[in-house]
Structures are given as C-alpha cells and as structure tokens.
C-alpha cells in the first residue's frame, strides 16, 4: 500500500480510538475470510444478491459472479427493511442455502446479523458476519460480534461521522476480535438524486487513521444500477481494498434492491473494466 502514515500523519479534530489507530499498529491489518485475504495488494470483490430469495436465484447468481472473478459471496438472510411489510429474508433457510453454494463454488460467504441473539447462529454458517448501517451503533451487537471468532464487516452508519465509525469498530476490537473490515456505503446528505451520497473521501482518510481494511459498497452508496460501474472504478482509483456489489440474476424480479443490482452480464463486464483501473495503480483484482 502507498499509505504511509509515518511520513504523512494527518491531523483530525478528534482522538482516534487506540486499538483501531495506526499509532498502535503501523502495518495494514489483513483480514482472512476462510482463505481470502482483504487488506493486502489484491482488491477483493464481494458480490451477490441483496437478499437470499430462493435456491435458483442464489445458486445461479453465485455461480455467475464466481465465474466473473468474485472472491466472496454476499446475500442477506436476515434483512433490515424500512417497512415491516416488506420481505424480511429467508432466515435460517437462507443461511443453509448460502452454506450449500459456498461449498460448491468455494466462495466464502458474508451475511448480515441484526440481533445479539442471532450472532451464534449466523456465525455458525457464515465465513464473515456483517453489521449493517442501521446497527453500527448497536453497542451490545458490536460487543457480541467482538466475542465471536468470525471476521466482521462493519458498515458505516448512514448518519455516522468517521469518528463514530472508528469508535464502533473499536468496540469490536476491544471485545477481542481484530478481524474487522470497514465498509463505506454512503451517507445521508441533502442530495435526493441518489439514495445516499457515497463518501469516497472516507477511503484515503480511513486508510490514514486506521490499519483496518476499507471497502466500498457502491450499490447502497448510489441506489442506482447505472451508477455502480463508474463509482466502482472511482473506488478502486481512490484506494479501496475491496468492493461489495449487489448482483441479481433477474434484477427486475428482485424482492429487495433490484433497482441498484447489476445483472450477471453487467457484473462480468465491470470486472474486466476494474482490472484495468487496478493495473493503473499497481494493484490486482
Ligand atoms: C445490505 O448490505 O444488504 C444492507 C442492508 O446494507 P446497509 O446496511 O449498508 O444498508
Ligand atoms: Mn441491499
């Protein structure tokens, strides 16, 4: 990585929590997700549907993103939906499907946990657990995730500052788990043309302040399918360690977030383009 915090220490108007701070650990942390390493020179692609909806939907999508070059499969089994009347996810059935297709494809799986009571169950199926934007300041959940033995993908709260994001990560490290990946997924601003405002400046800032890997979610960060490729390329250019992208075999039929999901072909094409951007900054995908 080109980041060299020793040469270029940044000044920010808050104190950086000790365990996540570069001051406590100069070297980049590499998070190992069942053999897939995030935080090194390789940029890691995580792809899959927003939610697990059926065997056919998940398996076809997973096989295709694997062929396209994704290294980790995503898919929510427990979904945080704004309306209680929307599809809430398949629950444990969804976790079982994830684990079957994970064995077939060899792709490790990341899936969301919303409640302290679900951590043990979700961690028993997943290779990495996700704490979503809405739960970034759910402190009991952060502590529970810190006590579990699986890596944690922590998404930035939609209203959270960088300081609050780092404090949330500190909870997990402080509870004993240093395998944490930070994910910028867009924040709420006055802008209404996009679902969120993707804060790409969070990448270089976080890479300076902390040793933890940083990835970008351009799907929730824009909420618009056609914007995902350009923001993904920009994310690679700005130094992200990975991308998490929603992909669906039939986006128009998706039960959740279809409008921001790439089709299988769009994902494969994006992978080809991203390899060129990565090469330009001396990294691989
Ligand atoms: C998701 O990744 O499916 C999700 C719900 O993301 P976020 O928590 O960033 O909204
Ligand atoms: Mn989604």
């Amino acid at each position: 990585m080109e980041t060299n915090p020793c040469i270029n220490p940044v000044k920010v108007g808050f104190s950086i929590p000790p365990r996540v701070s570069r001051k406590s650990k100069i070297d980049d942390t590499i998070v190992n997700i069942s053999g897939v390493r995030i935080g090194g020179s390789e940029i890691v692609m995580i792809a899959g549907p927003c939610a697990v909806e059926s065997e056919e939907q998940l398996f076809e999508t997973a096989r295709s993103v694997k062929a396209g070059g994704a290294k980790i499969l995503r898919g929510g089994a427990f979904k945080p939906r704004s309306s209680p009347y929307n599809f809430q996810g398949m629950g444990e059935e969804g976790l079982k499907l994830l684990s079957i297709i994970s064995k077939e494809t060899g792709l490790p799986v990341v899936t969301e946990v919303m409640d302290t009571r679900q951590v043990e169950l979700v961690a028993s199926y997943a290779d990495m657990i996700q704490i979503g934007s809405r739960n970034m300041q759910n402190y009991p959940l952060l502590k529970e995730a810190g006590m579990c033995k699986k890596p944690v993908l922590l998404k930035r709260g939609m209203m959270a500052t960088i300081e609050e994001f780092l404090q949330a990560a500190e909870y997990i490290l402080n509870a004993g788990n240093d395998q944490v990946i930070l994910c910028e997924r867009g924040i709420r601003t006055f802008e209404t043309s996009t679902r969120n405002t993707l804060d790409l400046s969070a990448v270089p800032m976080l890479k300076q302040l902390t040793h933890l890997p940083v990835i970008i979610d351009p799907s929730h960060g824009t909420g618009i399918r056609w914007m995902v490729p350009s923001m993904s390329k920009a994310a690679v250019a700005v130094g992200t360690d990975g991308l998490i992208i929603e992909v669906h075999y039939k986006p128009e039929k998706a039960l959740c977030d279809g409008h921001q999901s790439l089709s299988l072909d769009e994902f494969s094409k994006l992978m080809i383009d991203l390899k060129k951007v990565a090469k330009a900054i001396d990294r691989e995908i």
Side-chain angles (χ1 to χ4, degrees):
M1 276 303 305
E2 277 144 43
T3 316
N4 192 335
C6 299
I7 293 170
N8 254 331
V10 287
K11 285 199 175 66
V12 285
F14 54 88
S15 59
I16 303 149
R19 294 180 198 279
V20 300
S21 172
R22 278 277 183 200
K23 284 191 194 136
S24 66
K25 184 170 180 281
I26 302 264
D27 296 334
D28 290 334
T29 287
I30 310 252
V31 174
N32 189 329
I33 305 113
S34 303
V36 176
R37 291 153 56 86
I38 299 190
S41 66
E42 189 182 336
I43 298 163
V44 175
M45 297 296 288
I46 306 174
C50 177
V52 179
E53 299 170 5
S54 69
E55 181 177 313
E56 179 184 294
Q57 172 250 16
L58 180 69
F59 288 14
E60 285 202 24
T61 307
R63 287 175 190 135
S64 178
V65 297
K66 155 98 186 183
K71 293 288 159 61
I72 298 177
L73 176 66
R74 64 149 289 147
F78 295 99
K79 293 302 303 174
R81 302 306 300 278
S82 301
S83 165
Y85 307 117
N86 286 340
F87 175 60
Q88 303 283 309
M90 289 179 73
E92 190 169 1
E93 280 312 300
L95 296 176
K96 285 184 181 156
L97 291 176
L98 284 167
S99 132
I100 293 169
I101 196 64
S102 170
K103 287 197 183 82
E104 184 199 298
T105 57
L107 295 175
V109 159
V110 58
T111 193
E112 181 161 354
V113 59
M114 296 196 294
D115 190 299
T116 51
R117 293 165 296 184
Q118 290 166 348
V119 173
E120 208 179 311
L121 176 77
V122 173
S124 74
Y125 287 99
D127 298 282
M128 172 158 67
I129 61 171
Q130 174 174 323
I131 295 186
S133 194
R134 291 155 192 79
N135 274 311
M136 191 209 80
Q137 286 177 315
N138 180 339
Y139 301 115
L141 184 58
L142 296 173
K143 287 182 193 170
E144 198 69 31
M147 288 186 286
C148 105
K149 301 279 172 266
K150 293 285 168 79
V152 180
L153 178 59
L154 178 65
K155 299 189 86 173
R156 181 177 181 181
M158 61 187 84
M159 306 284 277
T161 62
I162 295 282
E163 180 181 18
E164 290 161 340
F165 193 15
L166 290 173
Q167 286 167 333
E170 185 81 4
Y171 264 92
I172 304 173
L173 270 72
N174 191 42
N177 189 350
D178 65 355
Q179 294 285 287
V180 176
I181 296 170
L182 303 174
C183 177
E184 158 61 36
R185 47 77 71 204
I187 49 176
R188 276 210 173 156
T189 66
F190 51 81
E191 183 53 61
T192 54
S193 65
T194 45
R195 179 176 179 180
N196 291 289
T197 297
L198 185 60
D199 180 12
L200 286 179
S201 70
V203 177
M205 178 58 79
L206 286 167
K207 297 291 295 180
Q208 281 286 328
L209 301 182
T210 173
H211 50 85
L212 298 173
V214 181
I215 70 166
I216 287 285
D217 174 350
S219 307
H220 295 88
T222 62
I224 305 170
R225 179 182 310 133
W226 64 262
M227 288 193 79
V228 170
S230 46
M231 296 313 281
S232 300
K233 286 179 244 177
V236 169
V238 85
T240 193
D241 293 310
L243 284 156
I244 179 164
I245 297 187
E246 289 186 338
V247 181
H248 197 285
Y249 81 141
K250 292 175 185 166
E252 68 291 347
K253 297 250 166 70
L255 297 179
C256 185
D257 285 351
H259 50 277
Q260 66 190 36
S261 300
L262 296 185
S263 67
L264 304 182
D265 285 348
E266 285 167 336
F267 178 75
S268 305
K269 176 170 184 314
L270 175 60
M271 286 297 295
I272 295 167
D273 293 347
L274 289 178
K275 283 181 204 293
K276 296 181 207 157
V277 184
K279 196 163 174 240
I281 55 155
D282 288 331
R283 292 181 83 177
E284 324 94 61
I285 292 196

